[in-house]
Amino acid sequence: MAGNQEKSITVKTAAEIEIMQQANRIVAGVLSLLQKNMRSGLTTMQMDKWAEEYCRDHGAEPAFKGYRGFPGSLCISINEQVVHGIPSSKVKVREGDIVSVDFGTRYKGFYGDSAVTIPVGRISEENEKLLTVTREALERGINQVRVGNRISDISRAVQEHVEKFGFSVVRQFVGHGIGISLHEGPEVPNYVQKQASPRVLDGMVIAIEPMVNVGTHKVKVLKDGWTVITADRKPSAHFEHSVAATADGPLVLSRREGET
Ligand code: MG
Ligand code: MG
């Protein structure tokens, strides 16, 4: 889930980061499960049920369920939907769709948060490119999570990579610090802002989450109050990892097994 509110910045101890790694491993397990089982005809409600079940079976709570009234455990956003899509028993994914799934857990008082966009069967070349570029942009952002850097170094790495391929980054929603709250400071925008940006601190944990559009960066929210779609209805992709800044460099807490 992406934030859009200013919150205070905290740093975590090594022991707290260890707990956050456990919270994020459960998130990664859910996303891997969805990647493995994604197929045409699957309802988004079925995916939500699998996610919640896996999460509770592993001793965690689904973080998004009830968050400001969000009805699902999983945010599922298909094609032109950017983020925060609501699971439904009436919506089935189809061959050629790109399905962004965003999941969060609460475990031993700490949050985990990660997202991936999954293709259903064969997808268009343009969508293939969109997924590759968004995934790469996330990795470039992660590589800037170095003590002494500024958050804007992350933003710049993401933005430059995305725009090199003619795609655009969403501005209305941003990444965020994460810890004992789902959304903490600092904000982690996917574009460079004019104002001064905070330093990356040892022990800071942030969720970096590029939301990348084929067309305009502009988005709007549907009448359900949640689902964010692109203003031009062109496709959008979303990849997210929770990352700790350590003296040894970035530590990706939500890495999935076998992720490339
Ligand atoms: Mg998320
Ligand atoms: Mg997030």
Side-chain angles (χ1 to χ4, degrees):
M1 203 171 259
N4 55 6
Q5 281 186 323
E6 202 61 60
K7 306 270 169 59
S8 64
I9 295 174
T10 63
V11 293
K12 281 80 184 174
T13 65
E16 289 171 332
I17 290 173
E18 173 59 35
I19 297 171
M20 292 190 73
Q21 187 149 38
Q22 292 168 24
N24 275 291
R25 277 201 190 113
I26 300 166
V27 179
V30 163
L31 299 185
S32 291
L33 181 76
L34 294 169
Q35 280 183 310
K36 210 183 308 167
N37 290 287
M38 189 61 70
R39 57 177 166 76
S40 178
L42 197 61
T43 69
T44 56
M45 185 60 87
Q46 180 64 64
M47 293 179 215
D48 186 78
K49 288 210 173 96
W50 286 338
E52 179 166 357
E53 214 172 79
Y54 183 100
C55 177
R56 295 199 191 278
D57 282 352
H58 287 77
E61 286 166 52
F64 303 164
K65 194 159 202 171
Y67 181 83
R68 297 197 196 149
F70 187 77
S73 292
L74 195 62
C75 295
I76 311 179
S77 312
I78 304 170
N79 297 332
E80 77 280 3
Q81 297 176 354
V82 180
V83 286
H84 304 165
I86 299 172
S88 163
S89 55
K90 296 192 186 98
V91 176
K92 289 179 179 167
V93 299
R94 297 170 311 170
E95 173 94 12
D97 283 348
I98 54 171
V99 183
S100 298
V101 291
D102 186 355
F103 192 66
T105 55
R106 186 163 180 273
Y107 182 75
K108 295 186 179 171
F110 285 87
Y111 284 88
D113 189 8
S114 181
V116 62
T117 300
I118 307 170
V120 184
R122 279 180 67 98
I123 60 173
S124 70
E125 253 177 65
E126 185 179 62
N127 278 344
E128 211 49 271
K129 191 80 200 161
L130 176 67
L131 265 51
T132 302
V133 168
T134 309
R135 196 186 303 114
E136 289 170 350
L138 171 58
E139 293 305 323
R140 282 170 187 248
I142 289 169
N143 193 40
Q144 295 300 318
V145 181
R146 300 190 180 275
V147 176
N149 269 7
R150 290 190 185 274
I151 295 295
S152 56
D153 292 314
I154 300 166
S155 310
R156 185 175 302 104
V158 170
Q159 182 177 20
E160 280 183 358
H161 190 69
V162 167
E163 292 181 352
K164 194 160 70 184
F165 293 91
F167 298 141
S168 66
V169 289
V170 170
R171 284 140 168 82
Q172 204 172 318
F173 296 89
V174 297
H176 50 91
I178 180 166
I180 57 167
S181 300
L182 180 59
H183 295 137
E184 299 183 354
E187 289 195 345
V188 185
N190 296 299
Y191 65 102
V192 179
Q193 295 178 312
K194 286 210 173 74
Q195 66 259 40
S197 169
R199 294 272 182 201
V200 174
L201 307 172
D202 193 356
M204 189 183 252
V205 183
I206 53 175
I208 307 175
E209 51 180 313
M211 289 150 265
V212 175
N213 298 351
V214 162
T216 178
H217 70 81
K218 291 192 179 126
V219 297
K220 50 187 182 187
V221 181
L222 293 185
K223 282 200 192 83
D224 63 22
W226 282 102
T227 313
V228 179
I229 65 164
T230 56
D232 58 10
R233 310 268 170 145
K234 289 186 177 171
S236 183
H238 181 211
F239 285 81
E240 173 179 28
H241 272 311
S242 292
V243 185
T246 77
D248 302 325
L251 175 64
V252 180
L253 304 178
S254 49
R255 202 56 99 185
R256 296 180 298 285
E257 228 172 273
E259 183 186 342
T260 49

